[in-house]
Amino acid sequence: GQSLEQPSEVTAVEGAIVQINCTYQTSGFYGLSWYQQHDGGAPTFLSYNGLDGLEETGRFSSFLSRSDSYGYLLLQELQMKDSASYFCAVRDILTGGGNKLTFGTGTQLKVEL
Amino acid sequence: DTGVSQNPRHKITKRGQNVTFRCDPISEHNRLYWYRQTLGQGPEFLTYFQNEAQLEKSRLLSDRFSAERPKGSFSTLEIQRTEQGDSAMYLCASSLADRDRGLFGANVLTFGAGSRLTVL
């Protein structure tokens, strides 16, 4: 099966940079995704890495190292509205047709003034 | 398109009753997923459909749970003889297939707002 580990909670101040790490174990890795979920809201897609390296989307960047089974989400110029839970998710091509995402337990980010 | 729509948004029921949730995906998406989320946890996969075919079911999905997607459009998730442990947020998501959007296809899920179930 798959397993993912990410910190349960991270606190940072407005305007700072924060990195949320994710390590995973899976047999048929086929991509790492990141989702954001505000309290009471639906998870929304942020970023995807299928290959090693950095992907940048505005203030958010995501990095993947397949050899280390590791990725991170980098949030720059933090804003209060970034306070939310962030989930990494892996797709395993060898499990059940390779069409489901397995989510981590999430990292709750608190942005303070 | 208004995104993924789920109803009801909230359902309170007594133990032993049956409940049904409905999901209307984004119209051009051919994949539809059901996930369950409890407080402080990430979404847990339950099942998914490609068009009208149910292609995978989690072992979390006991025989009290059944999902359908007639005609490959909307989907329903029914829970029979509800138990208190079924209390959770039931999330529906939809996506394109990989061939429709390269590798991004099935990695980009659009979630609905969820249906919160409380079993008393």
Side-chain angles (χ1 to χ4, degrees):
Chain A
Q2 305 87 40
S3 68
L4 299 98
E5 284 192 22
Q6 49 182 131
S8 59
E9 196 173 302
V10 172
T11 302
V13 296
E14 198 174 28
I17 299 172
V18 73
Q19 178 174 313
I20 299 174
N21 299 321
C22 174
T23 56
Y24 61 85
Q25 286 188 317
T26 186
S27 49
F29 178 80
Y30 201 64
L32 181 72
S33 305
W34 290 92
Y35 285 76
Q36 177 192 62
Q37 186 177 32
H38 287 98
D39 281 349
T44 56
F45 172 79
L46 289 178
S47 187
Y48 165 75
N49 294 77
L51 301 174
D52 292 348
L54 193 68
E55 293 287 338
E56 297 180 79
T57 310
R59 294 188 297 114
F60 295 177
S61 303
S62 59
F63 172 82
L64 175 66
S65 169
R66 287 174 295 172
S67 61
D68 295 321
S69 297
Y70 163 77
Y72 66 71
L73 179 69
L74 192 74
L75 297 87
Q76 303 181 72
E77 302 171 17
L78 280 176
Q79 302 175 9
M80 297 298 288
K81 68 178 182 180
D82 297 329
S83 293
S85 292
Y86 293 84
F87 297 92
C88 57
V90 292
R91 187 171 164 203
D92 184 334
I93 197 69
L94 296 180
T95 303
N99 292 310
K100 73 176 189 184
L101 293 186
T102 300
F103 287 80
T105 53
T107 298
Q108 186 168 11
L109 170 64
K110 296 181 182 177
V111 180
E112 299 175 334
L113 291 171
Chain B
D1 200 327
T2 55
V4 178
S5 176
Q6 292 188 247
N7 65 80
R9 292 291 313 278
H10 304 274
K11 179 71 176 178
I12 300 173
T13 191
K14 293 182 179 179
R15 185 165 51 96
Q17 298 295 304
N18 298 344
V19 296
T20 299
F21 301 116
R22 176 179 170 127
C23 172
D24 288 90
I26 292 174
S27 56
E28 59 264 31
H29 286 181
N30 49 15
R31 288 190 177 162
L32 185 147
Y33 308 78
W34 286 99
Y35 281 80
R36 179 172 67 187
Q37 187 176 28
T38 53
L39 195 63
Q41 300 296 314
E44 290 180 292
F45 172 81
L46 293 178
T47 189
Y48 99 92
F49 294 82
Q50 174 135 338
N51 300 312
E52 66 275 9
Q54 187 174 20
L55 297 186
E56 188 181 352
K57 289 175 61 173
S58 166
R59 61 179 182 274
L60 292 174
L61 217 64
S62 75
D63 55 6
R64 297 185 298 105
F65 288 71
S66 63
E68 294 182 343
R69 193 184 182 195
K71 304 178 184 178
S73 56
F74 72 92
S75 176
T76 57
L77 176 69
E78 181 183 18
I79 308 174
Q80 296 182 325
R81 305 181 303 281
T82 53
E83 301 173 356
Q84 288 184 326
D86 297 331
S87 295
M89 178 73 83
Y90 289 85
L91 293 165
C92 176
S94 67
S95 78
L96 294 167
D98 286 332
R99 66 177 184 274
D100 299 315
R101 202 186 167 188
L103 288 175
F104 273 71
N107 290 287
V108 182
L109 303 187
T110 301
F111 282 88
S115 293
R116 181 171 296 284
L117 173 65
T118 302
V119 182
L120 302 176

